[in-house]
Amino acid sequence: MYNSEDFRPLTPEERASSEIQRPSKTYWADVWSRLKADKLAMLGLFIITVIILFAVFAPVFSRYEYDEMDFNFSNDPPSFTHWFGCDMFGRDLFIRVMYGARISLAVGFIASFISLFIGVIYGGISGFIGGRCDNIMMRIVDVIYSVPAMIYVILLMVVVGPGLKSIFITLGISYWAPMARMVRAEVMRLKNEEFVIAAMITGASPSRILFRHIIPNSMGAVLVTLTFSVPGAIFTEAFLSFVGLGVSAPMASWGVLSSDATEALAIYPWQLFFPAAAISITILAFNFVGDGLRDALDPKLGK
Amino acid sequence: MIKVINMNNDEILRVENLHTSFFTSAGEVKALNGVSFSLKRGEVLGIAGESGSGKSTAMLSIMGLTGEAGRVSADKLEFMGKTLDAENIKSMRGKDIAMIFQDPMTSLNPVLSVGYQLKEALKRHHWEGSIRDRVIDIMAKVGIVPAEERMKQYPHQFSGGQRQRLMIAMSVICSPVLLIADEPTTALDVTVQAQILKLLREIREYSGMSMILITHDLGVIAGEADRVIIMYGGEIMEEGTVQEIFKNPKHPYTLGLMKSLPKPDSKRERLIPIEGQPPDLLNPPEGCPFVKRCQNAMKICLHKKPEVSVLSDTHKYSCWLEVKNNA
Amino acid sequence: MKIKTYILKRTVSSIITLFIVITITFFMMRAIPGGPFTDAKAIPNFVIEKMNERYGLNDPLYIQYGRYLLNILCFDLGPSYRYEGMTVNELIADSFPVSFIVGGLALLISLVIGIPLGVISALRRGKWQDKTSMIFATLGVTVPSFVLASAFVYIFAWHLGWVTVGFWDGISTAILPAVTLALYPAAFISRLVRSEMLEVLGQDYIRTAYAKGLGRSSVIYIHALKNALIPVITYLGPLTAGILTGSFVIEKVYGVPGLGTFFVTSINNRDYTMIMGVTVFYSAILVSFNMITDICLSFIDPRIKLR
């Protein structure tokens, strides 16, 4: 029934071939491969890249300037010469939306990075030191939380005065509290992990442990918060523009453009459509990337 | 201690050729590949194997708790003469077959009082008599007193050991015929482990229920079980009475498990781990699942499932070595 | 801890928080270069001088600050600098009821839409119900509220003529602004509930509940939902803050004469007492609301101890 060949011991080669070789990947490579599998996240990344490219290069190649007025084209509808139409001063809306992208994206990224910087340091120190210091620092965050952030931003804007720089600063120093809370929670969680204890035993200094060992390990959560805070800042800037605290003319963010357009909405609805669509698509793209990133970092929650 | 075993031939559970798969984004995970066993009234069956061997999946399949992603099929799946299809198991769960889980810290609902959670099964299965009295009675039986007060409390107000006692109370509250205990002591301190095992033993002696005890701790099995099943890679490797398995282990995997177990009488001897990883059930091996880690692996083991060798009425194992030795 | 002691303790800490907010707001407003009347060009110097005197702006800063604190202790937010003869209290009393109706309605709508959508999409995960709800939820968080408001005005008021905007006539004129205001939080809540529900449904205690023989509906509605809604209650604080500030633009677009409209006007007019007053008022609302939600939370989640 069986021949002796069946019962000969396995050769080392046969033994090796029966092992399934699974390439071992680093943590971030693993995250990236999961993110790549997420179509929506990839679409979001693609959209963001396209918008950034447009924001950087479209003004360079355009026939028009963002502040170039021509009253012959006042409130013209979209056409082949003016893709998005013109505003009441006859300024080309396409180029204004592209310039708006520069401003809105700059606000989104710079404000987010400022709040990230403050939040990571504040939350990191608070969580790492713990005890009384943590208590006081978190009490301060609680106070900040008890005022609606938007009111805080508006107050600061009133004090600092409108303008692009004030927006960077104001948003940067207003929105760090959630980041600080999140980083603190991460630090508290990681602080008792073995690799941190190991670093302590080797005699690493507290600041080295915090910034070399703990913070890098909480980068995943920070990155997710960041992808959601960029569109948040873009949103807030649009909101500020709408209540009259945005960047000053003739510069225009997407918020200013939409805000201006609402005045004549009944007659020239397309003037609102293009900047509003730009805001929505950008925020949608960031949301896709953020959702994808969160799932990629925490695969048990994913599909 | 002399165990009181009611060894009549009254079979309550029969499982034949059980297959369970989970459908995930990565593909079909074949968690069980043809598992068969049976259980008698009053009997304690121990199922041992490392994590991922399919022991928990087998139990969840019987309970119909594999979730939406799970697909269960079997030639026969009978409990007390009834086929355990989706309909039948629904009315039997919690009443005739009960189950307790590994981690008592997460197995109780944190926002419902323990009294409510205990009552639930009684209400669901239309308990005749006072529900409240029964809850107080069972809580006292598992040693949670004063029951009247403690039933108003919430899970976070109990220790790990107490929560496992509550889980046991919850599972036996409707006097089931069979209790499936899925690693009931793994998450607990050693001293608490002994108490929980003792409690389970008392309940068995008192009620005569059968028990399937899943564990990776062979010591627990030796102390508690009548019969043992050794599982690996979603299949049964060896099966026998406790005497047969511990005195005369046959399968290379069972032998490996025994060697990795510390023995009190041989202090100097080194524990020998079983090298390698369990098989990837996304691509289950064609032949014996243990082939990669087996010292005696042969060519046939790679491609063909081993035949079952019967050593006695109770002792069986699946390995080509037995076939080779007889050839 | 007894609930009464807790409320007392929270009230004290709320008052401290408000004190800090008042102080910071006060000094921020005073840090603005020039007085409140300097940017109105047409006013002659002696008039400004007189106005400064009338509002006590020539006194040393600490006296002004002390006076402001004392007044607030008597719930007096001072006179408006721009609405002649009106106090901030009167302006708030006139306009806040309108904002309260719109905001309260928005809060209700966002919960009534958000929670069921989240539950349904979690239960029908991957099916069309899930996909549709999540498309709605994603769009809801991507369109800025003032764009949505403008679009709604364009479609429903001008194009279809279903509603009239620009004046206030009680609940009937509050519905569209409330719906607009509710869309973002409704979308956010549905996403929150969905992910919480999925997380909870994977917990061990859900398996325990099934093992007891409970049916799907009792497992979902008794065991899962209560756990999944805890984060929604935690979100109520930020939600209220969002609705309060969201009302600034929504009220402006719809021409609702609420506090938000007045606030935006006071920003453009640099009406400092009004800006301060509204800030303090909104902070007080938020602080008390946070206290209430924390108490509610402790009733729903027994693990939370009132401290």
Side-chain angles (χ1 to χ4, degrees):
Chain A
M1 197 160 66
Y2 303 104
N3 56 38
S4 59
E5 169 70 7
D6 283 335
F7 295 129
R8 101 179 137 66
L10 283 182
T11 61
E13 291 78 39
E14 280 171 321
R15 205 174 264 279
S17 70
S18 70
E19 297 270 345
I20 299 159
Q21 291 296 322
R22 218 184 284 178
S24 71
K25 284 187 198 155
T26 66
Y27 174 70
W28 286 105
D30 216 29
V31 167
W32 174 239
S33 73
R34 275 197 295 267
L35 190 65
K36 264 203 301 201
D38 187 335
K39 283 182 198 128
L40 281 180
M42 283 296 112
L43 178 69
L45 266 185
F46 175 74
I47 293 174
I48 293 169
T49 316
V50 168
I51 290 174
I52 291 176
L53 287 178
F54 261 106
V56 173
F57 292 112
V60 180
F61 296 111
S62 169
R63 280 178 283 169
Y64 306 103
E65 277 298 317
Y66 72 97
D67 52 355
E68 187 183 318
M69 299 189 200
D70 187 342
F71 285 93
N72 293 327
F73 299 112
S74 231
N75 292 322
D76 263 18
S79 64
F80 281 112
T81 44
H82 297 289
W83 292 351
F84 290 180
C86 288
D87 68 3
M88 58 183 295
F89 299 110
R91 292 180 294 204
D92 179 62
L93 269 178
F94 177 73
I95 197 64
R96 283 180 73 71
V97 170
M98 291 306 135
Y99 259 98
R102 285 186 174 185
I103 292 169
S104 290
L105 287 177
V107 167
F109 279 107
I110 295 176
S112 294
F113 277 110
I114 296 174
S115 61
L116 170 89
F117 188 73
I118 302 174
V120 165
I121 292 180
Y122 192 98
I125 291 174
S126 177
F128 190 64
I129 296 178
R132 210 188 174 83
C133 172
D134 175 49
N135 227 325
I136 295 168
M137 287 177 86
M138 280 303 120
R139 263 296 141 105
I140 295 172
V141 171
D142 286 345
V143 171
I144 291 171
Y145 259 90
S146 65
V147 187
M150 189 63 82
I151 291 196
Y152 188 62
V153 169
I154 289 173
L155 278 182
L156 271 172
M157 286 299 290
V158 171
V159 175
V160 186
L164 197 53
K165 235 185 268 169
S166 343
I167 291 183
F168 291 155
I169 297 168
T170 310
L171 294 191
I173 62 178
S174 305
Y175 283 91
W176 57 271
M179 186 66 94
R181 269 196 182 173
M182 198 274 312
V183 172
R184 172 179 171 269
E186 280 289 295
V187 171
M188 301 274 269
R189 183 176 67 82
L190 291 169
K191 169 158 101 162
N192 299 317
E193 294 273 321
E194 266 125 30
F195 69 90
V196 174
I197 295 163
M200 282 178 186
I201 293 166
T202 60
S205 70
S207 70
R208 194 185 156 78
I209 290 172
L210 178 58
F211 292 105
R212 285 282 151 151
H213 294 277
I214 298 181
I215 301 280
N217 276 292
S218 61
M219 266 307 136
V222 169
L223 210 58
V224 172
T225 315
L226 191 69
T227 39
F228 287 113
S229 79
V230 171
I234 294 175
F235 236 81
T236 313
E237 185 278 328
F239 190 96
L240 285 177
S241 302
F242 200 81
V243 297
L245 290 168
V247 295
S248 15
M251 274 209 286
S253 65
W254 289 336
V256 174
L257 291 173
S258 342
S259 168
D260 288 349
T262 50
E263 317 263 317
L265 182 66
I267 328 168
Y268 315 115
W270 66 85
Q271 292 185 352
L272 175 64
F273 177 79
F274 291 107
I279 297 178
S280 303
I281 289 171
T282 309
I283 289 170
L284 193 66
F286 274 103
N287 268 296
F288 283 161
V289 175
D291 284 346
L293 204 56
R294 191 179 43 205
D295 292 348
L297 286 165
D298 193 356
K300 77 179 161 53
L301 282 177
K303 296 144 219 165
Chain B
M1 202 197 114
I2 302 159
K3 273 189 279 176
V4 184
I5 309 165
N6 181 11
M7 281 291 266
N8 55 18
N9 279 348
D10 191 0
E11 185 179 278
I12 57 166
L13 179 70
R14 170 154 288 276
V15 178
E16 275 175 26
N17 200 19
L18 178 66
H19 286 261
T20 300
S21 291
F22 292 98
F23 291 87
T24 68
S25 55
E28 182 186 352
V29 178
K30 292 185 180 119
L32 288 181
N33 297 302
V35 169
S36 308
F37 63 91
S38 66
L39 185 74
K40 293 184 189 111
R41 187 179 291 278
E43 192 182 27
V44 178
L45 173 65
I47 302 186
E50 56 200 277
S51 27
S53 61
K55 51 199 195 316
S56 292
T57 306
M59 295 307 114
L60 291 174
S61 305
I62 293 171
M63 292 286 282
L65 292 175
T66 47
E68 281 173 26
R71 294 281 177 287
V72 181
S73 70
D75 292 350
K76 207 174 217 180
L77 193 55
E78 276 183 4
F79 182 73
M80 313 271 291
K82 271 195 210 165
T83 299
L84 285 179
D85 54 19
E87 231 12 79
N88 284 335
I89 186 64
K90 249 186 205 169
S91 55
M92 288 180 163
R93 261 201 308 254
K95 184 165 162 253
D96 304 308
I97 313 179
M99 188 162 178
I100 54 177
F101 301 100
Q102 178 174 353
D103 191 353
M105 304 310 273
T106 56
S107 292
L108 290 163
N109 194 325
V111 301
L112 298 172
S113 73
V114 299
Y116 180 86
Q117 296 186 59
L118 282 163
K119 281 175 197 158
E120 243 177 354
L122 293 173
K123 282 190 201 151
R124 163 70 180 82
H125 300 294
H126 313 290
W127 180 259
E128 288 163 21
S130 164
I131 285 180
R132 196 185 141 81
D133 288 352
R134 174 67 179 165
V135 169
I136 290 170
D137 181 46
I138 203 88
M139 279 178 79
K141 212 158 262 161
V142 299
I144 306 286
V145 283
E148 286 92 339
E149 260 167 60
R150 300 223 74 182
M151 64 191 282
K152 288 179 205 140
Q153 292 183 327
Y154 290 88
H156 72 277
Q157 289 159 302
F158 295 84
S159 71
Q162 286 176 322
R163 289 193 213 185
Q164 195 62 299
R165 285 169 184 275
L166 286 168
M167 279 298 293
I168 292 169
M170 203 177 287
S171 57
V172 300
I173 199 161
C174 292
S175 311
V177 180
L178 167 63
L179 176 67
I180 299 173
D182 188 353
E183 309 222 17
T185 58
T186 308
L188 303 171
D189 289 345
V190 182
T191 46
V192 183
Q193 274 186 22
Q195 292 169 11
I196 293 293
L197 289 172
K198 181 165 169 271
L199 174 65
L200 285 170
R201 207 178 302 136
E202 285 165 4
I203 293 171
R204 281 202 312 272
E205 281 163 10
Y206 163 85
S207 67
M209 71 179 180
S210 315
M211 187 163 93
I212 298 180
L213 179 66
I214 300 174
T215 177
H216 57 253
D217 187 343
L218 287 176
V220 170
I221 291 207
E224 303 296 321
D226 306 314
R227 271 194 314 126
V228 190
I229 287 176
I230 307 284
M231 283 188 74
Y232 187 83
E235 288 168 41
I236 293 178
M237 299 285 104
E238 185 162 5
E239 180 185 347
T241 63
V242 167
Q243 285 287 322
E244 286 163 339
I245 295 292
F246 284 83
K247 289 271 148 62
N248 189 20
K250 281 291 186 183
H251 194 281
Y253 179 60
T254 317
L255 285 161
L257 282 181
M258 298 295 168
K259 277 184 191 149
S260 64
L261 197 71
K263 284 186 205 98
D265 54 338
S266 54
K267 278 175 198 144
R268 293 273 178 79
E269 208 175 295
R270 277 188 62 201
L271 296 178
I272 304 159
I274 308 174
E275 298 289 343
Q277 295 293 317
D280 178 5
L281 293 173
L282 267 173
N283 306 295
E286 247 181 281
C288 174
F290 190 57
V291 63
K292 279 195 286 178
R293 297 165 76 180
C294 185
Q295 295 298 313
N296 316 315
M298 300 174 295
K299 190 165 179 261
I300 193 168
C301 303
L302 270 180
H303 307 295
K304 250 181 137 173
K305 295 264 180 225
E307 288 166 9
V308 176
S309 310
V310 180
L311 299 180
S312 75
D313 274 356
T314 45
H315 197 179
K316 299 167 197 163
Y317 80 111
S318 303
C319 185
W320 284 117
L321 282 176
E322 181 71 24
V323 182
K324 181 195 170 195
N325 293 341
N326 294 341
Chain C
M1 190 191 280
K2 282 257 179 62
I3 190 96
K4 271 183 196 161
T5 347
Y6 176 73
I7 293 176
L8 197 73
K9 223 175 145 188
R10 268 304 283 267
T11 314
V12 171
S13 81
S14 303
I15 289 171
I16 295 171
T17 306
L18 282 177
F19 168 75
I20 298 170
V21 170
I22 290 166
T23 308
I24 293 172
T25 321
F26 180 86
F27 287 103
M28 264 168 71
M29 287 291 109
R30 288 300 184 274
I32 300 168
F37 305 114
T38 41
D39 56 316
K41 295 174 193 85
I43 308 173
N45 263 343
F46 70 94
V47 179
I48 290 183
E49 207 34 54
K50 255 201 138 146
M51 302 256 285
N52 277 345
E53 196 151 319
R54 188 170 133 208
Y55 291 115
L57 294 173
N58 291 334
D59 296 333
L61 207 54
Y62 65 90
I63 291 186
Q64 290 185 38
Y65 173 61
R67 193 163 47 219
Y68 193 71
L69 278 185
L70 272 180
N71 286 341
I72 281 185
L73 272 184
C74 314
F75 298 101
D76 178 8
L77 295 167
S80 162
Y81 286 165
R82 288 295 151 97
Y83 290 92
E84 196 59 40
M86 294 281 277
T87 65
V88 174
N89 285 41
E90 285 166 344
L91 285 170
I92 291 178
D94 281 354
S95 58
F96 183 66
V98 173
S99 296
F100 183 77
I101 292 173
V102 175
L105 205 57
L107 192 75
L108 206 69
I109 294 172
S110 59
L111 292 173
V112 167
I113 294 179
I115 294 173
L117 269 190
V119 172
I120 289 167
S121 59
L123 296 182
R124 315 287 311 164
R125 180 185 192 178
K127 310 264 164 53
W128 67 265
Q129 294 95 327
D130 182 25
K131 284 180 180 146
T132 326
S133 326
M134 283 308 111
I135 288 172
F136 158 77
T138 313
L139 290 181
V141 296
T142 55
V143 184
S145 57
F146 62 89
V147 170
L148 207 63
S150 308
F152 278 2
V153 169
Y154 183 73
I155 296 168
F156 294 114
W158 297 335
H159 225 74
L160 299 171
W162 289 355
V163 288
T164 42
V165 293
F167 74 98
W168 178 249
D169 185 25
I171 287 282
S172 63
T173 43
I175 291 172
L176 199 54
V179 168
T180 319
L181 209 46
L183 276 183
Y184 180 92
F188 190 92
I189 290 171
S190 68
R191 284 162 65 111
L192 187 68
V193 170
R194 177 181 185 269
S195 70
E196 277 308 315
M197 197 73 184
L198 287 177
E199 166 105 33
V200 167
L201 286 175
Q203 294 291 320
D204 287 350
Y205 55 78
I206 296 297
R207 194 177 53 185
T208 308
Y210 277 120
K212 274 190 242 178
L214 298 184
R216 188 172 149 88
S217 61
S218 32
V219 171
I220 287 163
Y221 293 108
I222 296 170
H223 284 264
L225 200 56
K226 208 174 169 192
N227 282 288
L229 287 186
I230 289 171
V232 177
I233 295 163
T234 329
Y235 174 65
L236 280 180
L239 170 64
T240 317
I243 285 179
L244 285 179
T245 48
S247 67
F248 299 167
V249 293
I250 300 296
E251 288 179 6
K252 191 182 161 199
V253 174
Y254 285 103
V256 175
L259 190 49
T261 308
F262 277 98
F263 186 55
V264 173
T265 319
S266 67
I267 293 164
N268 292 324
N269 291 341
R270 303 293 188 267
D271 187 346
Y272 297 134
T273 42
M274 183 72 185
I275 297 177
M276 282 167 69
V278 175
T279 305
V280 172
F281 180 67
Y282 275 170
S283 307
I285 291 182
L286 200 61
V287 165
S288 6
F289 202 84
N290 282 338
M291 185 164 97
I292 296 167
T293 48
D294 282 355
I295 292 170
C296 289
L297 204 57
S298 76
F299 280 113
I300 291 175
D301 189 347
R303 286 164 298 182
I304 292 175
K305 281 206 190 78
L306 295 174
R307 264 184 300 130

